[in-house]
Amino acid sequence: MSVTRGIGIAAVALSTVLLAACAGTSVPGQATPSATVVASDAPTPSAAPQAAGIVISTAAITVVDEAGATMSSYDYFEPTSDVVAGLTEVFGSAPKDTPFAGGGDQPPAIWHEWGGFRLVDDDYAGQAPLYPNHWVALTAASADGLQLSTLDGIALGATTSEVAANHSDVLNPWTDSDGTAHTDLWIDYRPDPTEGATVDNPVMGVWISGPTDGAVTRIVAPSRNWGP
């Protein structure tokens, strides 16, 4: 091989190496640029309010959140099927439906029950303002994790005598067959009779009952203090 030819071959080889180096990956020891992360200014969505309790009054059944704010409300004169559908969503399950044959001044009815919350759909046709399509009986202080109470926070288990002392205007003491003294009282009564609200005059309100020396065992709304 001639010297001139050898120099030419070496030059071609060196040129090939240099081109490969330029086209290759980064030089060892040199940092590789990373992708730029852009921070998002979008606010984190807050959790939706959750139902915490059901408050019953003479006017309505009200679902409230933990702060006591109204989430939904149902009156006693709208179609019972609509109320059942709404409460089914609130409780997260359909009620247990039990036929009631009637008795004790109560007409035949269907009891829609979610634990300690009973919605009673009786055979009477509703007629505002004194004859509702349905009414509520509380049989426990809570149902499926929801607290059950009146507007002023009275729940089953409250001391009857203390409740009576704070609502002494409409009282009806009575004694059952075994000699146990009971107290019935009405709160949130409406409409106000012109003669004044007493147990001897018509009152529509929330009925609370229990042994006089014990705890409240029954809360009903709306309740009349006359007739069936």
Side-chain angles (χ1 to χ4, degrees), residues 84-112:
V84 170
L87 292 176
T88 294
E89 185 174 347
V90 170
F91 282 109
S93 62
K96 176 184 177 182
D97 292 344
T98 304
F100 174 66
D105 291 333
Q106 295 183 24
I110 299 294
W111 291 354
H112 305 287

Side-chain angles (χ1 to χ4, degrees), residues 175-182:
T175 303
D176 65 17
S177 58
D178 67 2
T180 302
H182 289 258

